[in-house]
Amino acid sequence: MIVFAAAGIAVLLSLALALARALIGPALFDRVLAVNMVGTKTVLLIAWMATLSGRADYLDIALLYALINFLGVIAVLRYYEDTGFGGQESR
Amino acid sequence: MIAIDMLSGALLLAGAALGVIGAIGLHRLPDFYTRAHAAGITDTLCAGLFLSGLAIHFGATLASVKLGLIFLFLLFTSPTACHALAKSALASGLLPWGAGAPPPLATTNTAGMPPSNP
Amino acid sequence: MKFRFPLTLTLAILWWLLSGYADALLLALGACSVAATVSLARRMDRIDQASHPLHLSWRLLGFGWQLLREIVLANAQVVAIVLTPKPPIQPQWVRVRSRSTSPLGMAVLGNAITLTPGTITVAIHGDELLVHALTDRSAAGVIAGDLDRIVPPDLEAVR
């Protein structure tokens, strides 16, 4: 059980580090990369919760989250290529 | 039973530790392109070890198959997302630290484009 | 067209693995969604060997195994670099040619290169790839064609 808790805390720690990178940037792509990593960690965290609570149903949510995470990154990049976010952050 | 728990715990911890290392790499490496390499750790080995640790915990059930599917899905999508990021970073004019502008490919006007005549 | 059956079978198995139910109503709903997906795939003109490479499945398994080994090795290198006090990196561009010229083979190779930490495929043109490498060592690996060698050589999208 202690091992389980340690693994969960480690995932939360890496989530926090990735979130910090998303906040400080500096390039837009650093932020998107960090957000992508936050998404991957969230998938792992949901799978971890599914195991902890013994409810395999949560795994479906993890799978869906992975899907949405991927689509989100692609959508942001496509939107950026089209509009450049109004030129606020040129690089 | 204890052996299985220990194996599952070891895989979990190894995966989680790799995740932290990848996130540290996100802060220690100098620019976007190098950080993308560090992010690659979390998408491949970290997720693989973590999810297989959970799968061993679940044993031979449908839940383990689902965990395998999640891993497979991450393996398919993460290089695509990574490539799309790097490609549009380059297209936006962000030059990599220490490497400068990329050499042109055989035909110059096609960075990131698929072959025109497949 | 002749790949409709394997696609249906794969989708049905996938549906059952994801749901795990076996009562009549849900099985019927599953059959409906499989049928809808197959007809959509047909409309998108994707029922071909490219989207469903059954004929290569055993060799793809071998490829997956070798790819896994390469991924573990590359991960160890990048982890060591991140944990070194002053990360010893030599980021650089690499231009390589691939043995295969088929679009599918190039796509698989490009993805495999991106999947191994330390190298990212940024662009593909014809049989040439533009790769960003983190260190001299990962660049040397790409130039030596470590991954090019293990991709099945005759991946071909046949209609």
Side-chain angles (χ1 to χ4, degrees), chain C residues 71-88:
Chain C
I71 287 175
V72 172
L73 292 178
N75 263 294
Q77 286 175 25
V78 177
V79 165
I81 285 163
V82 168
L83 292 182
T84 314
K86 273 183 112 182

Side-chain angles (χ1 to χ4, degrees), chain A:
Chain A
M1 222 50 206
I2 268 233
V3 173
F4 237 82
I9 289 169
V11 173
L12 283 174
L13 176 65
S14 48
L15 238 164
L17 283 170
L19 209 54
R21 177 48 77 189
L23 285 175
I24 54 186
L28 167 87
F29 301 101
D30 287 302
R31 300 181 205 272
V32 181
L33 182 72
V35 167
N36 188 21
M37 195 192 245
V38 168
T40 313
K41 295 294 172 206
T42 310
V43 171
L44 294 186
L45 206 62
I46 296 173
W48 177 83
M49 274 186 64
T51 317
L52 196 66
S53 60
R55 295 184 58 171
D57 312 11
Y58 287 173
L59 292 178
D60 296 329
I61 301 175
L63 198 60
L64 263 182
Y65 202 96
L67 189 76
I68 292 171
N69 183 37
F70 172 65
L71 287 181
V73 168
I74 299 297
V76 167
L77 289 177
R78 176 46 65 91
Y79 184 71
Y80 172 76
E81 276 175 13
D82 283 354
T83 68
F85 289 131
Q88 278 183 348
E89 196 160 13
S90 63
R91 47 179 46 208

Side-chain angles (χ1 to χ4, degrees), chain B residues 25 28-30 97, chain C residues 80-91 134-135:
Chain B
R28 294 207 56 203
L29 294 173
W97 180 89
Chain C
I81 285 163
V82 168
L83 292 182
T84 314
K86 273 183 112 182
I89 53 172
Q90 306 86 33
L134 184 60
T135 63

Side-chain angles (χ1 to χ4, degrees), chain B residues 17 42 70 74 83:
Chain B
T42 47
I70 293 175
L74 284 179
H83 161 79

Side-chain angles (χ1 to χ4, degrees), chain B residues 5 12-14 20 36 52 54-55 66 71 79 84 87 90 100 112 114 118:
Chain B
D5 277 353
L12 262 180
L13 281 185
V20 176
S52 50
L54 295 180
K66 253 179 224 175
F71 178 54
K87 187 189 124 193
L90 195 63

